[in-house]
Amino acid sequence: MAEQKQASKFNKVLGGWDILVMAFGAMIGWGWVISTGDWIKKGGAVGAALGFALGGVMIFFVGLTYAELTPAMPQCGGEHVFSYRAMGPTGSFICTWAIIFGYAGVVCFEACAFPTIIGYIWPGFMQGYLYSVAGFDIYASWLIVAVVMAFLMTYVNIRGVKTAAKLQSVLTVIIGIAGIILIASSVVTGNLDNLEEQAFVGVGGTSFKNVIAVAVTTPFFYIGFDVIPQAAEEINIEAKKIGRIMLLSIIMAVCFYALVILAVGYELNSDEITKAMETGTGLVSADAIAKAFNTKAMADVLIIGGMCGILTSWNSFLVGGSRALYSMAESYMVPPFLGKLHPKYKTPVTSLIILGAFSMLAPFAGRKMLVWISDAGNFGCVLAYCMVSLSFLILRKKNPEMKRPYKVKHATLVGVIAVILSAGMLLMYVIPGSGSTLAPQEWAFLLGWTGLGVIFYFVCKKKNGEKFGSVNEIISDEDALALQLSDEELGAALDSAIDEAIKYVLDKESVGSML
């Protein structure tokens, strides 16, 4: 089917700050509060920081491909459009369906993570035992908070992406302040001996193996920069700046994680971390700041920062997931009702309601099951990264004349490295003993999502025929205005412009003769 041009249906309301906090807030999330102890025990303080730096290198190279492709094709759906231009409908379907799985997994997981954190701050929060799933006890109070928050987050996003961006700004600033306080306080009160004794202390094997074991887990924590291309049609800044802001968000996230890990290792010795992990809450970042200020109140402050991290990730992936679903519906790859926009707020309301409904139902399955879903979804995100990197290389060869406001230098080298690194990360989920191998339950969820995608693919392809997989090019606002005018209106406008020009010239001549 031949591509057609159309005007964007979205409101361009996002500025540079909006998309920076949308990406950065999605990436830093809650992991730096709850998982720092695990990272240090696995690779050592310096080793874990190095692992996050290595993982950041992979994400940065992938980010370079995104940075070029997003301003070159600033359309809703991001990966959907990139892979379509390079690989056609089938490649586009696989890529987009994979990234949606990753987004949906995080959205569902955050619905469980939020009330769980309240339990850390308020020990008496868990009331009204209901049942257990995979060893996780579900309480009425926990369930109510999870469902209510899922509803509120969905409502905020339906009200418009600018509303969601304002919420993201406030929450991200709170996270940043909490992290900076932790890092700064450790510099003042920490001890270099603590860092040296556990610099590369891991559990079994060589130090290098433990560093790599941390590195292969990092893509899950760096997911989020790819939300920017999903909302590309809603961004109202110079195209070239989009790529730069995306790369800046990655660099900021890498530095944030590495500094937090080093701060905890500088403040707490190995025994204190082990005690926190085995007999305490396991929130070693909170314990570190509590020790630095000699008060548990500061631990609660940090945990509140972590709660904001849950909301920023949740918010960003609702934006990303709903736009990806919308773009597939626009291409007749999934049922068309998923492509409905809210008449007032211009948000993909049906897709948001679907994702919101999943996040409201997810807590009933328990936290353990949702860990499996989010881990399997991580595989989907890395698969999409690999396909976008391939699309970058294909489009450089297939369409070298494409207008690229942000053009990456040494494109072939960058693209090849991005493909190799992302493909390598993908293999880590498959190879036994890699540290990131998917569990049988996670494979079950992944295969189930794949099966659902196969059904949509063949049913929608059969029903929609040539329309299946079509992607219309979004034109500029000026061109869109011209397209809205009929031939008669264009002719009348042209005649009027000529008359005005003649009148202007005659007036000038008459004025000159009078002088």
Side-chain angles (χ1 to χ4, degrees), residues 395-454:
L395 287 171
R396 271 297 183 113
K397 185 174 182 180
K398 180 181 177 181
N399 194 355
E401 302 304 319
M402 176 189 290
K403 184 179 178 182
R404 293 171 167 86
Y406 185 93
K407 196 167 185 177
V408 173
K409 296 179 180 179
H410 312 295
T412 301
L413 179 62
V414 168
V416 169
I417 292 175
V419 170
I420 291 173
L421 292 177
S422 55
M425 287 289 186
L426 205 58
L427 286 174
M428 292 296 180
Y429 295 105
V430 180
I431 300 173
S434 68
S436 292
T437 310
L438 295 181
Q441 299 92 336
E442 293 162 353
W443 279 115
F445 282 116
L446 182 59
L447 292 174
W449 184 258
T450 302
L452 181 61
V454 170

Short mmCIF file of all heavy atoms in Angstrom, two decimals, residues 395-454:
data_model
loop_
_atom_site.label_atom_id
_atom_site.label_comp_id
_atom_site.label_asym_id
_atom_site.label_seq_id
_atom_site.Cartn_x
_atom_site.Cartn_y
_atom_site.Cartn_z
N LEU A 395 18.80 1.69 7.14
CA LEU A 395 18.35 2.97 6.58
C LEU A 395 19.52 3.82 6.11
O LEU A 395 19.37 4.61 5.17
CB LEU A 395 17.52 3.72 7.62
CG LEU A 395 16.12 3.14 7.88
CD1 LEU A 395 15.46 3.81 9.06
CD2 LEU A 395 15.25 3.29 6.63
N ARG A 396 20.68 3.69 6.75
CA ARG A 396 21.85 4.42 6.27
C ARG A 396 22.23 3.95 4.86
O ARG A 396 22.70 4.74 4.04
CB ARG A 396 23.03 4.21 7.22
CG ARG A 396 23.11 5.23 8.36
CD ARG A 396 23.33 6.64 7.81
NE ARG A 396 23.49 7.62 8.86
CZ ARG A 396 24.62 8.28 9.11
NH1 ARG A 396 25.68 8.05 8.36
NH2 ARG A 396 24.67 9.18 10.06
N LYS A 397 22.02 2.67 4.58
CA LYS A 397 22.34 2.13 3.26
C LYS A 397 21.17 2.27 2.29
O LYS A 397 21.35 2.60 1.11
CB LYS A 397 22.72 0.65 3.39
CG LYS A 397 23.19 0.01 2.10
CD LYS A 397 23.68 -1.41 2.32
CE LYS A 397 24.21 -2.01 1.01
NZ LYS A 397 24.70 -3.41 1.20
N LYS A 398 19.96 2.03 2.79
CA LYS A 398 18.76 2.02 1.96
C LYS A 398 18.29 3.43 1.61
O LYS A 398 17.80 3.68 0.50
CB LYS A 398 17.65 1.26 2.70
CG LYS A 398 16.33 1.16 1.99
CD LYS A 398 15.34 0.39 2.88
CE LYS A 398 13.97 0.31 2.27
NZ LYS A 398 13.02 -0.43 3.16
N ASN A 399 18.44 4.36 2.53
CA ASN A 399 17.94 5.71 2.32
C ASN A 399 18.96 6.73 2.82
O ASN A 399 18.73 7.44 3.81
CB ASN A 399 16.60 5.88 3.07
CG ASN A 399 15.85 7.11 2.64
OD1 ASN A 399 16.35 7.92 1.85
ND2 ASN A 399 14.66 7.30 3.17
N PRO A 400 20.11 6.83 2.13
CA PRO A 400 21.17 7.73 2.60
C PRO A 400 20.81 9.21 2.50
O PRO A 400 21.40 10.04 3.18
CB PRO A 400 22.35 7.39 1.68
CG PRO A 400 21.72 6.83 0.45
CD PRO A 400 20.50 6.10 0.91
N GLU A 401 19.82 9.53 1.64
CA GLU A 401 19.45 10.93 1.44
C GLU A 401 18.40 11.41 2.43
O GLU A 401 17.97 12.57 2.36
CB GLU A 401 18.92 11.12 0.00
CG GLU A 401 19.90 10.72 -1.09
CD GLU A 401 21.22 11.47 -0.96
OE1 GLU A 401 21.20 12.67 -0.66
OE2 GLU A 401 22.27 10.83 -1.15
N MET A 402 17.96 10.54 3.31
CA MET A 402 16.97 10.94 4.31
C MET A 402 17.47 12.14 5.11
O MET A 402 18.64 12.21 5.49
CB MET A 402 16.66 9.77 5.27
CG MET A 402 15.70 10.14 6.39
SD MET A 402 15.57 8.83 7.64
CE MET A 402 14.69 7.58 6.72
N LYS A 403 16.58 13.09 5.36
CA LYS A 403 16.95 14.25 6.16
C LYS A 403 17.17 13.81 7.60
O LYS A 403 16.28 13.26 8.24
CB LYS A 403 15.84 15.31 6.09
CG LYS A 403 16.19 16.59 6.82
CD LYS A 403 15.06 17.60 6.70
CE LYS A 403 15.40 18.88 7.48
NZ LYS A 403 14.30 19.87 7.40
N ARG A 404 18.36 14.05 8.11
CA ARG A 404 18.73 13.64 9.46
C ARG A 404 19.20 14.87 10.25
O ARG A 404 20.38 15.23 10.19
CB ARG A 404 19.83 12.57 9.43
CG ARG A 404 19.37 11.24 8.81
CD ARG A 404 20.56 10.29 8.61
NE ARG A 404 20.15 8.93 8.31
CZ ARG A 404 19.87 8.48 7.09
NH1 ARG A 404 19.96 9.32 6.04
NH2 ARG A 404 19.51 7.23 6.91
N PRO A 405 18.30 15.52 10.99
CA PRO A 405 18.69 16.72 11.75
C PRO A 405 19.83 16.46 12.72
O PRO A 405 20.67 17.32 12.95
CB PRO A 405 17.40 17.09 12.49
CG PRO A 405 16.30 16.52 11.65
CD PRO A 405 16.85 15.25 11.09
N TYR A 406 19.85 15.26 13.31
CA TYR A 406 20.97 14.85 14.18
C TYR A 406 21.63 13.66 13.52
O TYR A 406 21.06 12.57 13.45
CB TYR A 406 20.49 14.48 15.58
CG TYR A 406 21.62 14.16 16.54
CD1 TYR A 406 22.15 15.15 17.36
CD2 TYR A 406 22.16 12.88 16.63
CE1 TYR A 406 23.20 14.88 18.23
CE2 TYR A 406 23.21 12.60 17.49
CZ TYR A 406 23.72 13.59 18.29
OH TYR A 406 24.76 13.33 19.15
N LYS A 407 22.83 13.88 12.98
CA LYS A 407 23.50 12.83 12.21
C LYS A 407 24.70 12.30 12.99
O LYS A 407 25.61 13.05 13.34
CB LYS A 407 23.95 13.36 10.85
CG LYS A 407 24.29 12.26 9.84
CD LYS A 407 24.41 12.83 8.44
CE LYS A 407 24.63 11.73 7.40
NZ LYS A 407 24.68 12.26 6.03
N VAL A 408 24.70 10.99 13.25
CA VAL A 408 25.75 10.35 14.01
C VAL A 408 27.00 10.17 13.14
O VAL A 408 26.90 9.74 11.99
CB VAL A 408 25.28 8.98 14.54
CG1 VAL A 408 26.42 8.22 15.20
CG2 VAL A 408 24.12 9.17 15.51
N LYS A 409 28.15 10.49 13.70
CA LYS A 409 29.41 10.27 12.99
C LYS A 409 29.80 8.79 13.08
O LYS A 409 29.46 8.11 14.02
CB LYS A 409 30.51 11.14 13.59
CG LYS A 409 30.27 12.64 13.44
CD LYS A 409 31.39 13.45 14.08
CE LYS A 409 31.14 14.94 13.92
NZ LYS A 409 32.20 15.76 14.56
N HIS A 410 30.56 8.34 12.06
CA HIS A 410 31.01 6.94 12.01
C HIS A 410 29.83 5.99 12.17
O HIS A 410 29.84 5.08 13.01
CB HIS A 410 32.07 6.67 13.08
CG HIS A 410 33.17 7.70 13.14
ND1 HIS A 410 34.07 7.87 12.09
CD2 HIS A 410 33.49 8.61 14.09
CE1 HIS A 410 34.92 8.84 12.42
NE2 HIS A 410 34.58 9.31 13.61
N ALA A 411 28.81 6.22 11.35
CA ALA A 411 27.53 5.53 11.51
C ALA A 411 27.66 4.01 11.47
O ALA A 411 27.05 3.31 12.29
CB ALA A 411 26.55 6.00 10.44
N THR A 412 28.42 3.49 10.52
CA THR A 412 28.53 2.03 10.39
C THR A 412 29.13 1.42 11.64
O THR A 412 28.64 0.41 12.17
CB THR A 412 29.39 1.66 9.16
OG1 THR A 412 28.80 2.22 7.98
CG2 THR A 412 29.48 0.15 9.02
N LEU A 413 30.20 2.02 12.15
CA LEU A 413 30.85 1.52 13.35
C LEU A 413 29.90 1.58 14.55
O LEU A 413 29.77 0.60 15.31
CB LEU A 413 32.10 2.33 13.65
CG LEU A 413 32.89 1.94 14.92
CD1 LEU A 413 33.38 0.50 14.82
CD2 LEU A 413 34.04 2.90 15.15
N VAL A 414 29.22 2.71 14.70
CA VAL A 414 28.27 2.87 15.81
C VAL A 414 27.15 1.83 15.71
O VAL A 414 26.79 1.17 16.70
CB VAL A 414 27.68 4.29 15.82
CG1 VAL A 414 26.48 4.37 16.77
CG2 VAL A 414 28.73 5.31 16.22
N GLY A 415 26.59 1.67 14.51
CA GLY A 415 25.51 0.73 14.32
C GLY A 415 25.91 -0.71 14.59
O GLY A 415 25.18 -1.47 15.24
N VAL A 416 27.08 -1.10 14.09
CA VAL A 416 27.57 -2.46 14.30
C VAL A 416 27.80 -2.74 15.78
O VAL A 416 27.42 -3.79 16.30
CB VAL A 416 28.87 -2.71 13.50
CG1 VAL A 416 29.52 -4.02 13.91
CG2 VAL A 416 28.56 -2.73 12.00
N ILE A 417 28.42 -1.79 16.49
CA ILE A 417 28.65 -1.96 17.92
C ILE A 417 27.32 -2.07 18.67
O ILE A 417 27.16 -2.92 19.56
CB ILE A 417 29.49 -0.78 18.49
CG1 ILE A 417 30.90 -0.84 17.92
CG2 ILE A 417 29.52 -0.83 20.01
CD1 ILE A 417 31.77 0.34 18.33
N ALA A 418 26.35 -1.23 18.31
CA ALA A 418 25.03 -1.27 18.97
C ALA A 418 24.35 -2.62 18.75
O ALA A 418 23.77 -3.20 19.68
CB ALA A 418 24.14 -0.14 18.45
N VAL A 419 24.45 -3.15 17.52
CA VAL A 419 23.84 -4.45 17.22
C VAL A 419 24.54 -5.56 18.00
O VAL A 419 23.88 -6.42 18.62
CB VAL A 419 23.90 -4.75 15.71
CG1 VAL A 419 23.50 -6.20 15.43
CG2 VAL A 419 22.99 -3.80 14.94
N ILE A 420 25.87 -5.55 18.00
CA ILE A 420 26.63 -6.61 18.68
C ILE A 420 26.36 -6.59 20.19
O ILE A 420 26.10 -7.64 20.81
CB ILE A 420 28.14 -6.45 18.40
CG1 ILE A 420 28.44 -6.76 16.93
CG2 ILE A 420 28.95 -7.37 19.31
CD1 ILE A 420 29.87 -6.48 16.53
N LEU A 421 26.39 -5.40 20.78
CA LEU A 421 26.19 -5.31 22.23
C LEU A 421 24.77 -5.69 22.63
O LEU A 421 24.56 -6.42 23.61
CB LEU A 421 26.52 -3.90 22.72
CG LEU A 421 27.99 -3.49 22.65
CD1 LEU A 421 28.17 -2.05 23.09
CD2 LEU A 421 28.84 -4.41 23.52
N SER A 422 23.77 -5.20 21.89
CA SER A 422 22.38 -5.53 22.24
C SER A 422 22.09 -7.00 21.98
O SER A 422 21.38 -7.66 22.76
CB SER A 422 21.40 -4.63 21.47
OG SER A 422 21.63 -4.70 20.07
N ALA A 423 22.64 -7.55 20.89
CA ALA A 423 22.46 -8.98 20.61
C ALA A 423 23.15 -9.82 21.68
O ALA A 423 22.63 -10.87 22.10
CB ALA A 423 23.01 -9.32 19.23
N GLY A 424 24.32 -9.35 22.14
CA GLY A 424 25.02 -10.06 23.21
C GLY A 424 24.21 -10.07 24.49
O GLY A 424 24.13 -11.10 25.18
N MET A 425 23.62 -8.92 24.83
CA MET A 425 22.76 -8.85 26.00
C MET A 425 21.57 -9.79 25.86
O MET A 425 21.13 -10.44 26.82
CB MET A 425 22.27 -7.42 26.21
CG MET A 425 23.32 -6.46 26.74
SD MET A 425 23.75 -6.79 28.47
CE MET A 425 24.84 -5.41 28.81
N LEU A 426 21.04 -9.86 24.64
CA LEU A 426 19.88 -10.72 24.38
C LEU A 426 20.24 -12.18 24.63
O LEU A 426 19.45 -12.94 25.22
CB LEU A 426 19.44 -10.52 22.93
CG LEU A 426 17.98 -10.82 22.57
CD1 LEU A 426 17.03 -9.98 23.40
CD2 LEU A 426 17.75 -10.57 21.10
N LEU A 427 21.45 -12.58 24.22
CA LEU A 427 21.89 -13.96 24.43
C LEU A 427 22.04 -14.30 25.90
O LEU A 427 21.88 -15.46 26.31
CB LEU A 427 23.22 -14.20 23.71
CG LEU A 427 23.16 -14.30 22.18
CD1 LEU A 427 24.57 -14.39 21.62
CD2 LEU A 427 22.34 -15.52 21.76
N MET A 428 22.36 -13.29 26.72
CA MET A 428 22.53 -13.53 28.14
C MET A 428 21.25 -14.03 28.80
O MET A 428 21.29 -14.70 29.83
CB MET A 428 23.01 -12.25 28.85
CG MET A 428 24.41 -11.83 28.46
SD MET A 428 25.65 -13.04 28.98
CE MET A 428 27.16 -12.25 28.40
N TYR A 429 20.10 -13.68 28.21
CA TYR A 429 18.83 -14.16 28.75
C TYR A 429 18.57 -15.62 28.39
O TYR A 429 17.68 -16.26 28.96
CB TYR A 429 17.67 -13.30 28.24
CG TYR A 429 17.72 -11.87 28.71
CD1 TYR A 429 18.10 -10.85 27.85
CD2 TYR A 429 17.40 -11.53 30.02
CE1 TYR A 429 18.16 -9.54 28.27
CE2 TYR A 429 17.46 -10.22 30.45
CZ TYR A 429 17.84 -9.23 29.59
OH TYR A 429 17.91 -7.93 30.02
N VAL A 430 19.34 -16.13 27.46
CA VAL A 430 19.13 -17.50 26.95
C VAL A 430 20.19 -18.46 27.47
O VAL A 430 19.89 -19.61 27.80
CB VAL A 430 19.14 -17.49 25.40
CG1 VAL A 430 18.93 -18.89 24.85
CG2 VAL A 430 18.10 -16.53 24.86
N ILE A 431 21.43 -18.00 27.58
CA ILE A 431 22.55 -18.87 27.96
C ILE A 431 22.47 -19.22 29.45
O ILE A 431 22.46 -18.31 30.30
CB ILE A 431 23.90 -18.19 27.66
CG1 ILE A 431 24.02 -17.89 26.17
CG2 ILE A 431 25.05 -19.06 28.12
CD1 ILE A 431 25.24 -17.07 25.81
N PRO A 432 22.42 -20.48 29.80
CA PRO A 432 22.38 -20.88 31.22
C PRO A 432 23.63 -20.42 31.97
O PRO A 432 24.74 -20.46 31.44
CB PRO A 432 22.32 -22.42 31.15
CG PRO A 432 21.78 -22.72 29.79
CD PRO A 432 22.31 -21.64 28.90
N GLY A 433 23.45 -19.96 33.19
CA GLY A 433 24.57 -19.56 34.02
C GLY A 433 25.11 -18.17 33.74
O GLY A 433 26.12 -17.78 34.31
N SER A 434 24.44 -17.41 32.89
CA SER A 434 24.92 -16.07 32.56
C SER A 434 24.62 -15.05 33.66
O SER A 434 25.19 -13.97 33.69
CB SER A 434 24.30 -15.59 31.25
OG SER A 434 22.90 -15.38 31.42
N GLY A 435 23.71 -15.40 34.56
CA GLY A 435 23.30 -14.45 35.59
C GLY A 435 22.00 -13.76 35.25
O GLY A 435 21.38 -13.12 36.10
N SER A 436 21.56 -13.86 34.00
CA SER A 436 20.30 -13.23 33.59
C SER A 436 19.38 -14.20 32.84
O SER A 436 18.43 -13.78 32.19
CB SER A 436 20.58 -12.02 32.68
OG SER A 436 21.18 -10.99 33.40
N THR A 437 19.68 -15.49 32.92
CA THR A 437 18.88 -16.48 32.21
C THR A 437 17.43 -16.44 32.69
O THR A 437 17.16 -16.39 33.89
CB THR A 437 19.44 -17.90 32.45
OG1 THR A 437 20.84 -17.89 32.19
CG2 THR A 437 18.77 -18.90 31.54
N LEU A 438 16.50 -16.43 31.75
CA LEU A 438 15.09 -16.39 32.11
C LEU A 438 14.67 -17.69 32.78
O LEU A 438 15.06 -18.78 32.38
CB LEU A 438 14.23 -16.15 30.87
CG LEU A 438 14.39 -14.80 30.16
CD1 LEU A 438 13.45 -14.72 28.96
CD2 LEU A 438 14.12 -13.63 31.10
N ALA A 439 13.85 -17.55 33.82
CA ALA A 439 13.31 -18.71 34.52
C ALA A 439 12.21 -19.35 33.68
O ALA A 439 11.66 -18.70 32.77
CB ALA A 439 12.75 -18.28 35.88
N PRO A 440 11.85 -20.60 33.95
CA PRO A 440 10.77 -21.27 33.19
C PRO A 440 9.47 -20.46 33.19
O PRO A 440 8.79 -20.38 32.15
CB PRO A 440 10.61 -22.61 33.91
CG PRO A 440 11.95 -22.88 34.51
CD PRO A 440 12.49 -21.54 34.90
N GLN A 441 9.14 -19.87 34.33
CA GLN A 441 7.90 -19.07 34.39
C GLN A 441 7.99 -17.85 33.47
O GLN A 441 6.99 -17.45 32.85
CB GLN A 441 7.63 -18.62 35.83
CG GLN A 441 7.43 -19.75 36.82
CD GLN A 441 8.72 -20.17 37.49
OE1 GLN A 441 9.81 -19.96 36.94
NE2 GLN A 441 8.62 -20.76 38.67
N GLU A 442 9.19 -17.26 33.39
CA GLU A 442 9.38 -16.09 32.53
C GLU A 442 9.30 -16.46 31.05
O GLU A 442 8.73 -15.72 30.25
CB GLU A 442 10.73 -15.43 32.86
CG GLU A 442 10.73 -14.83 34.27
CD GLU A 442 12.11 -14.55 34.82
OE1 GLU A 442 13.11 -14.95 34.18
OE2 GLU A 442 12.20 -13.94 35.90
N TRP A 443 9.85 -17.64 30.72
CA TRP A 443 9.70 -18.13 29.35
C TRP A 443 8.23 -18.37 29.02
O TRP A 443 7.79 -18.12 27.89
CB TRP A 443 10.48 -19.42 29.15
CG TRP A 443 11.94 -19.22 28.89
CD1 TRP A 443 12.98 -19.59 29.68
CD2 TRP A 443 12.52 -18.58 27.75
NE1 TRP A 443 14.18 -19.22 29.12
CE2 TRP A 443 13.94 -18.59 27.93
CE3 TRP A 443 12.00 -17.97 26.61
CZ2 TRP A 443 14.81 -18.05 27.00
CZ3 TRP A 443 12.88 -17.42 25.67
CH2 TRP A 443 14.26 -17.46 25.88
N ALA A 444 7.46 -18.83 29.99
CA ALA A 444 6.03 -19.07 29.76
C ALA A 444 5.31 -17.78 29.42
O ALA A 444 4.49 -17.73 28.49
CB ALA A 444 5.41 -19.73 30.99
N PHE A 445 5.61 -16.71 30.18
CA PHE A 445 4.98 -15.42 29.89
C PHE A 445 5.42 -14.89 28.52
O PHE A 445 4.61 -14.34 27.76
CB PHE A 445 5.34 -14.40 30.97
CG PHE A 445 4.55 -14.56 32.24
CD1 PHE A 445 5.17 -14.89 33.42
CD2 PHE A 445 3.18 -14.37 32.25
CE1 PHE A 445 4.46 -15.05 34.59
CE2 PHE A 445 2.43 -14.51 33.41
CZ PHE A 445 3.08 -14.86 34.59
N LEU A 446 6.71 -15.04 28.21
CA LEU A 446 7.23 -14.58 26.93
C LEU A 446 6.58 -15.32 25.77
O LEU A 446 6.17 -14.70 24.77
CB LEU A 446 8.75 -14.75 26.89
CG LEU A 446 9.47 -14.26 25.63
CD1 LEU A 446 9.24 -12.77 25.41
CD2 LEU A 446 10.98 -14.55 25.73
N LEU A 447 6.46 -16.63 25.89
CA LEU A 447 5.82 -17.42 24.83
C LEU A 447 4.34 -17.10 24.72
O LEU A 447 3.78 -17.08 23.62
CB LEU A 447 6.04 -18.91 25.10
CG LEU A 447 7.49 -19.41 24.98
CD1 LEU A 447 7.60 -20.87 25.42
CD2 LEU A 447 7.99 -19.26 23.53
N GLY A 448 3.69 -16.84 25.86
CA GLY A 448 2.28 -16.46 25.83
C GLY A 448 2.06 -15.14 25.09
O GLY A 448 1.14 -15.02 24.28
N TRP A 449 2.92 -14.16 25.37
CA TRP A 449 2.82 -12.87 24.68
C TRP A 449 3.11 -13.02 23.18
O TRP A 449 2.44 -12.42 22.34
CB TRP A 449 3.80 -11.88 25.30
CG TRP A 449 3.72 -10.49 24.73
CD1 TRP A 449 4.56 -9.92 23.84
CD2 TRP A 449 2.71 -9.51 25.01
NE1 TRP A 449 4.16 -8.65 23.55
CE2 TRP A 449 3.04 -8.36 24.24
CE3 TRP A 449 1.59 -9.48 25.83
CZ2 TRP A 449 2.27 -7.21 24.29
CZ3 TRP A 449 0.82 -8.32 25.87
CH2 TRP A 449 1.16 -7.21 25.11
N THR A 450 4.09 -13.86 22.88
CA THR A 450 4.42 -14.14 21.48
C THR A 450 3.23 -14.78 20.76
O THR A 450 2.89 -14.41 19.63
CB THR A 450 5.65 -15.06 21.38
OG1 THR A 450 6.76 -14.43 22.05
CG2 THR A 450 6.02 -15.33 19.92
N GLY A 451 2.59 -15.74 21.44
CA GLY A 451 1.42 -16.40 20.85
C GLY A 451 0.29 -15.43 20.58
O GLY A 451 -0.36 -15.49 19.52
N LEU A 452 0.06 -14.50 21.52
CA LEU A 452 -0.99 -13.49 21.32
C LEU A 452 -0.63 -12.60 20.13
O LEU A 452 -1.52 -12.24 19.33
CB LEU A 452 -1.13 -12.65 22.59
CG LEU A 452 -2.19 -11.55 22.58
CD1 LEU A 452 -3.58 -12.16 22.36
CD2 LEU A 452 -2.15 -10.74 23.88
N GLY A 453 0.65 -12.27 20.00
CA GLY A 453 1.09 -11.46 18.86
C GLY A 453 0.88 -12.17 17.54
O GLY A 453 0.48 -11.55 16.55
N VAL A 454 1.16 -13.47 17.50
CA VAL A 454 0.96 -14.25 16.27
C VAL A 454 -0.51 -14.23 15.87
O VAL A 454 -0.85 -14.08 14.68
CB VAL A 454 1.45 -15.70 16.47
CG1 VAL A 454 1.02 -16.59 15.30
CG2 VAL A 454 2.98 -15.73 16.62
#
